Amino acid sequence: MRRVIWESPNVPYTGRSNNMKLISKLRILLAFGIFLLFQGCSVKYSFTGTNINYDLVKTFTVENFFNDSGGGPANMEQLFTESLKEYYQRNTQLELVRTNGDLQFAGAINRYSLTPQSAVSSNNPNLPDRAGQMRLTIAVEVEYINLTNEEENLRRTFSFFQDYDPRTTTLLDVESQLVEEIFQNIIQDIFTATVANW
């Protein structure tokens, strides 16, 4: 026997389709609520590996570094100061300001030394042995102040070296290149110790 359900034209049907619409709306609201919850608890990462909270830290200051080493090219301290500024501008969202930055850098180049690394025999008893490699070492003392978190303040000496062969070239020929390469490595180490200190 066939069963027939009679529906009145004036009474809306409140069967299964309305329940499905309600469940669908609840799912959308739940998903939106979870999205908002995770947005509030997010951790900011950057491709340069910094852990800077840009809500608190917005500016940085670099005082002119001095050359207290007694050696090196005449413009070495200026080269280091400008390279440090450029590196932080390129790898962070911080604005460089003249004074009172949220992060502050100051210091001096306190070592510029050349040392022989290996001796090469002259094969002549009348001539002295010569250095096969010479090592240029530069050290920079840095004072770093973080006005938003004093626990991160530090004073440390960063150093790096590069070797060259004095039998094939002179220091004057390679000095600029060696100084730039050494400064690049020192600045990367400073960056890691200050704003990428995981």
Side-chain angles (χ1 to χ4, degrees):
M1 177 159 60
R2 196 168 168 195
R3 189 170 173 190
V4 177
I5 299 176
W6 178 261
E7 295 181 23
S8 168
N10 296 331
V11 179
Y13 176 69
T14 57
R16 186 173 173 178
S17 65
N18 280 348
N19 285 340
M20 292 303 285
K21 288 180 184 177
L22 180 62
I23 290 171
S24 178
K25 287 180 182 178
L26 287 174
R27 285 183 180 163
I28 291 171
L29 286 174
L30 180 64
F32 185 69
I34 290 172
F35 173 76
L36 288 178
L37 177 68
F38 281 114
Q39 281 292 93
C41 300
S42 68
V43 177
K44 295 179 181 175
Y45 294 102
S46 77
F47 293 110
T48 58
T50 64
N51 60 357
I52 299 172
N53 182 347
Y54 288 108
D55 295 332
L56 298 175
V57 180
K58 300 184 182 307
T59 60
F60 77 104
T61 300
V62 178
E63 292 185 20
N64 289 329
F65 278 67
F66 298 100
N67 183 2
D68 294 338
S69 70
N75 65 343
M76 187 168 66
E77 64 274 16
Q78 181 183 358
L79 174 65
F80 182 82
T81 302
E82 294 306 315
S83 298
L84 185 65
K85 290 176 184 177
E86 289 171 13
Y87 193 88
Y88 277 78
Q89 286 179 303
R90 192 171 60 248
N91 291 287
T92 71
Q93 299 171 25
L94 299 173
E95 178 188 355
L96 175 65
V97 294
R98 287 185 179 269
T99 59
N100 300 321
D102 297 322
L103 307 181
Q104 300 175 7
F105 299 86
I109 300 166
N110 58 16
R111 181 179 176 197
Y112 181 95
S113 64
L114 282 169
T115 52
Q117 292 305 299
S118 60
V120 176
S121 175
S122 65
N123 294 325
N124 184 339
N126 298 323
L127 294 174
D129 293 342
R130 297 181 56 194
Q133 289 287 319
M134 290 295 286
R135 175 165 293 176
L136 173 60
T137 303
I138 301 176
V140 181
E141 184 179 12
V142 176
E143 182 179 8
Y144 167 73
I145 297 172
N146 182 337
L147 294 181
T148 64
N149 185 356
E150 292 182 3
E151 293 180 1
E152 293 185 0
N153 293 355
L154 64 85
R155 180 187 287 266
R156 187 185 304 172
T157 298
F158 298 85
S159 66
F160 204 80
F161 63 85
Q162 289 285 357
D163 294 339
Y164 72 96
D165 189 341
R167 295 169 298 171
T168 59
T169 188
T170 67
L171 176 62
L172 288 177
D173 292 335
V174 295
E175 186 176 36
S176 295
Q177 178 187 346
L178 295 177
V179 168
E180 282 186 30
E181 291 173 1
I182 291 170
F183 280 170
Q184 285 174 8
N185 285 281
I186 289 175
I187 289 170
Q188 287 174 2
D189 288 346
I190 294 169
F191 187 82
T192 300
T194 56
V195 299
N197 51 350
W198 291 91

